[in-house]
Amino acid sequence: MKIFLLTIFLLPCSWLLIAQSAATFVVVGEDTNREVVAEGGRLDISKIKVENITKRTIYLAWETVYNSFPKAWDCSMCQHGDCQIGIPKGSEFKALRADQQGFIAIHVMPGSYSGKGIVKFKIYDREYPEHFETLTFEVEVQ
């Protein structure tokens, strides 16, 4: 009976340790950027960095999970190794070598349109999609 109870207790603990050991990258600094832009101005770049914490090359992927940027705003985004017009649904970084940093960045040219918008990206290692971080960009044009 003692062995059975010990097994029931240790099994979830071992799953937790395995899940935690799957972390292959970390967010460098904050996972949320808050930006204020003057009407008629522009946000040249807002960047959130991530770092490979392994001793091997990893491949990070990302998905846009929320986007409330006003349609009138001209936006683009860059990721480690590539830039794209608009805010795409998702993509992948180029290879991120051991101890190398990568990033997701946005650019906003709101023109004369004031307002507020948020975009959130889910970022994860392709080998461990269950371990992810959410990167958030909040932009207010006033």
Side-chain angles (χ1 to χ4, degrees), residues 67-122:
N67 183 357
S68 67
F69 280 0
K71 299 238 185 266
W73 290 1
D74 185 10
C75 305
S76 61
M77 67 88 59
C78 293
Q79 66 192 29
H80 177 71
D82 193 20
C83 288
Q84 301 176 34
I85 296 171
I87 306 292
K89 295 198 182 288
S91 189
E92 294 183 355
F93 282 21
K94 290 192 176 182
L96 205 58
R97 296 182 311 276
D99 299 322
Q100 184 180 17
Q101 290 186 354
F103 65 90
I104 288 184
I106 62 164
H107 315 277
V108 179
M109 285 110 347
S112 61
Y113 299 99
S114 61
K116 194 173 193 176
I118 298 172
V119 64
K120 294 179 180 256
F121 301 103
K122 174 183 172 181

Side-chain angles (χ1 to χ4, degrees), residues 10 18 38 52 58 63-64 72 82 85 90 100 103 109 128 134:
L10 290 179
I18 289 168
N52 179 350
I58 63 172
E63 303 168 15
T64 302
D82 193 20
I85 296 171
Q100 184 180 17
F103 65 90
M109 285 110 347
Y128 303 101
T134 303

Side-chain angles (χ1 to χ4, degrees), residues 25-45:
F25 71 97
V26 294
V27 175
V28 178
E30 299 294 322
D31 63 2
T32 300
N33 280 4
R34 291 174 180 85
E35 309 285 357
V36 177
V37 179
E39 188 175 317
R42 62 188 292 158
L43 175 60
D44 287 323
I45 190 165

